[in-house]
Amino acid sequence: MIILVNIASEFRGVEAIKRPPSGLLYVGGALKRAGFLVKVMHISAADIKKAVEEIVLMRPLFVGVSLFTGLVARHSATFSKELKRLAPNIPIVWGGVHPSLLPEQCLSQPYVDFVCIGEGEETIVELAAALDENLSLDNVKGIGFKRDGNIYITDTRPLIENLDAYEMDWSLLGIKNYVQKIEGFGEMFPYITSRGCPFSCGFCYNYTFNKRRWRAHSVEHVIEHIKKIKESAVASWVFFDDDNFFANKKRALDILYRLYDIGVYCSFLEIRVDSITKELMRELKDLKVQRIFIGWESGSDRMLKLVTKGFDKKKILEKCNILADYPEIAIDASAIIGFPTETMEDIGETLDLALRIAEIVPNNNFNIGTYLPYPGTQLYDIAIKEGFVPPKDPEGWGDFDILAGNIKMTWLPWASNNESEIFRRIDRYSKLLNHMRSPNPFINFLKIVLYMAARFRLSKRFMSLPIEVVSFEWWHKRAVKKITEKEK
């Protein structure tokens, strides 16, 4: 028996899609095909103690923990320490983005025995066989381990070339647990068709983890698997969780058209700003695509150049004018503030551009997040040069999460302890800039009032006493809770 664990991400909003631990479903499927008995546990931080007690009774060959940088790293450390306390002889294997980028730091912890570096499908099967048969670990590519008090990292494992050789094994968790209802549309399920991204955004892990390479399942593979999911989950909307679904435009449209023909429609996909054209938006509208995500990142050309986005403010506005002609498609528009070397003037340019975009595209859902210096990104070294001191252990990385509270932005010499809270309020007010008309007169009136309040706040940079967002979030949570209770 092998147990694979992921501690679910924590979201501030109640609207966040239920994302499955996709990596573990791929890895678990590979282990099953190799003949191992596998159990996947997708738990919350509150479930750690109960889960550990269950695992101890099952006496697995090892426990694999998948994690990324942020609060999940802290929760994974808590889980691993508790498991080691109750069952010190059960090996613990960490995998995923965070241990892949900081393998030595993770292995230096007494509660981590092995790390899988990079993609895990091939690595985990070889590691499982080595542990099961007591074979040498030296020939298993893509792992780190400890021997006689020393840390060893084996040869790098090449990226998987044929993704169709692997698939998410939904029998390990059940797709219905991750289906989400879209009001007025139907049931939606998540799906990943590709890995990586060919671009080099300075804040993205893909630069190191996927070596700036984009690889994809074949169109046939995607269609056949989505057909099966549709039949088993009785859902007809798909949420594409690819890092860059439109890395290959012809392939992306081929998938969307073929799904359309079998009655499956796209509720969400991600696309680069500079890929937007009138022709493409017309096709997405005809294909009933409900929402797209764009990362415009900054209103400062200096920052856009620093993070190597490959476009400028003029291009962003040009593409937003195209988006304005297709109000049927909602836009999730993401920007980041607090980059290394960024000034308040740069941030002001981002806020001013957000206000202009809001005027142009009324059905725009903004996210203006705070930059966090994650390892494996191009900006990481710049942040260190500017004063950032990386945490010394996984628990310390738990502070580098939007939900973790006040973050000391030491990579910005001018930022006081107040700035992280101010940045959070900027994000919360930006979310009120959506002024798409609602058929409900009361909701429509409320949206207009909140939109005007947000415009005033952001234009004047006045973030004190955020009465509007606190009141709105309280009301919204109550409304969602009532809807959820009614559905139950």
Side-chain angles (χ1 to χ4, degrees):
M1 162 75 77
I2 294 170
I3 298 174
L4 304 176
V5 178
N6 176 256
I7 302 172
S9 304
E10 298 176 53
F11 296 93
R12 174 181 287 120
V14 290
E15 300 168 316
I17 184 171
K18 296 183 288 184
R19 282 185 168 88
S22 304
L24 290 188
L25 296 182
Y26 272 104
V27 166
L31 284 167
K32 276 181 61 178
R33 286 195 297 276
F36 293 95
L37 182 62
V38 181
K39 179 178 177 63
V40 172
M41 302 178 75
H42 193 200
I43 63 174
S44 70
D47 299 325
I48 286 176
K49 190 174 185 298
K50 180 182 176 184
V52 167
E53 291 171 352
E54 290 178 14
I55 290 169
V56 170
L57 294 175
M58 288 186 272
R59 301 175 64 186
L61 176 65
F62 66 82
V63 174
V65 183
S66 175
L67 63 142
F68 52 84
T69 308
L71 274 175
V72 174
R74 177 174 291 164
H75 296 327
S76 298
T78 301
F79 166 87
S80 300
K81 284 195 286 187
E82 180 66 8
L83 180 57
K84 277 295 177 191
R85 185 181 71 82
L86 294 181
N89 294 325
I90 295 177
I92 296 177
V93 182
W94 275 22
V97 175
H98 187 78
S100 293
L101 299 176
L102 294 175
E104 289 91 351
Q105 185 183 94
C106 293
L107 283 168
S108 69
Q109 310 307 310
Y111 49 80
V112 178
D113 299 300
F114 303 92
V115 296
C116 283
I117 303 169
E119 293 173 311
E121 288 87 348
E122 296 172 356
T123 303
I124 200 70
V125 170
E126 291 184 20
L127 176 59
L131 293 176
D132 190 38
E133 300 170 31
N134 198 26
L135 303 174
S136 170
L137 298 170
D138 298 293
N139 296 322
V140 179
K141 292 182 178 179
I143 65 167
F145 60 93
K146 290 177 277 196
R147 180 190 292 152
D148 300 325
N150 297 312
I151 291 173
Y152 293 86
I153 304 294
T154 64
D155 292 341
T156 301
R157 184 175 294 276
L159 294 172
I160 296 169
E161 295 299 332
N162 177 22
L163 290 187
D164 285 359
Y166 300 97
E167 62 185 74
M168 288 193 290
D169 188 336
W170 281 107
S171 69
L172 294 168
L173 280 178
I175 182 67
K176 288 186 178 180
N177 292 322
Y178 298 91
V179 168
Q180 184 168 320
K181 186 176 179 61
I182 315 173
E183 191 173 352
F185 288 88
E187 306 290 325
M188 167 181 70
F189 59 89
Y191 192 83
I192 296 175
T193 79
S194 64
R195 295 181 186 178
C197 179
F199 295 94
S200 56
C201 299
F203 49 81
C204 183
Y205 78 100
N206 270 309
Y207 182 81
T208 301
F209 189 83
N210 284 301
K211 317 298 185 207
R212 276 192 67 196
R213 288 192 55 203
W214 178 81
R215 292 154 299 135
H217 284 294
S218 67
V219 174
E220 290 298 333
H221 178 101
V222 172
I223 302 304
E224 288 305 310
H225 281 83
I226 288 181
K227 271 184 184 178
K228 292 177 184 176
I229 292 173
K230 180 194 176 185
E231 292 167 3
S232 63
V234 196
S236 56
W237 289 86
V238 58
F239 175 111
F240 286 117
D241 208 11
D242 300 40
D243 286 328
N244 191 340
F245 182 72
F246 263 92
N248 181 319
K249 179 182 174 182
K250 182 179 182 300
R251 171 186 176 276
L253 286 173
D254 193 8
I255 289 171
L256 293 174
Y257 274 109
R258 291 184 62 178
L259 290 177
Y260 183 89
D261 288 342
I262 62 171
V264 177
Y265 313 106
C266 175
S267 65
F268 178 93
L269 58 82
E270 182 172 339
I271 186 170
R272 273 179 62 92
V273 169
D274 49 358
S275 297
I276 293 168
T277 64
K278 290 182 179 180
E279 294 73 24
L280 177 59
M281 292 304 297
R282 190 180 304 119
E283 287 189 275
L284 296 184
K285 174 189 169 184
D286 292 343
L287 287 163
K288 296 186 179 180
V289 172
Q290 185 191 30
R291 182 181 297 275
I292 66 173
F293 175 95
I294 60 170
W296 56 282
E297 314 309 357
S298 179
S300 163
D301 284 337
R302 186 177 78 85
M303 288 296 104
L304 289 169
K305 186 176 181 180
L306 178 73
V307 302
T308 61
K309 281 307 294 185
F311 52 75
D312 57 15
K313 181 162 51 177
K314 181 180 177 183
K315 180 67 70 175
I316 294 169
L317 287 169
E318 173 193 321
K319 299 303 184 177
C320 284
N321 279 304
I322 294 174
L323 295 175
D325 292 334
Y326 298 89
E328 303 87 352
I329 301 176
I331 312 298
D332 284 345
S334 175
I336 299 172
I337 54 177
F339 288 122
T341 80
E342 192 164 24
T343 66
M344 278 305 297
E345 289 73 20
D346 293 316
I347 292 171
E349 289 187 65
T350 296
L351 301 187
D352 290 340
L353 183 56
L355 294 171
R356 291 182 69 185
I357 293 172
E359 289 178 345
I360 298 169
V361 188
N363 57 335
N364 208 325
N365 296 294
F366 280 100
N367 169 52
I368 301 182
T370 300
Y371 167 76
L372 297 174
Y374 290 146
T377 63
Q378 294 181 81
L379 289 183
Y380 183 67
D381 291 337
I382 298 176
I384 290 174
K385 288 178 183 176
E386 293 295 315
F388 170 58
V389 179
K392 292 181 170 54
D393 55 43
E395 291 169 283
W397 281 106
D399 289 330
F400 291 86
D401 193 298
I402 295 300
L403 301 178
N406 289 331
I407 299 166
K408 292 182 180 178
M409 294 179 286
T410 52
W411 57 93
L412 289 177
W414 55 266
S416 68
N417 292 338
N418 258 4
E419 254 63 42
S420 60
E421 178 58 31
I422 291 171
F423 285 9
R424 269 205 303 275
R425 291 180 185 181
I426 286 173
D427 178 45
R428 293 161 82 186
Y429 274 108
S430 74
K431 287 174 168 52
L432 301 181
L433 290 176
N434 182 317
H435 56 108
M436 192 72 172
R437 291 303 179 94
S438 167
N440 183 314
F442 172 72
I443 299 294
N444 197 45
F445 172 75
L446 182 62
K447 288 184 73 171
I448 291 172
V449 170
L450 292 172
Y451 172 78
M452 297 305 295
R455 284 199 70 88
F456 172 79
R457 291 273 197 166
L458 293 170
S459 63
K460 301 299 182 184
R461 323 297 195 235
F462 177 61
M463 298 294 119
S464 298
L465 300 172
I467 298 169
E468 307 92 342
V469 290
V470 171
S471 301
F472 173 73
E473 288 169 1
W474 174 83
W475 173 83
H476 189 248
K477 285 178 182 178
R478 280 195 66 190
V480 171
K481 185 179 179 181
K482 286 182 178 179
I483 293 171
T484 305
E485 289 173 349
K486 187 176 179 181
E487 287 176 352
K488 288 179 180 179

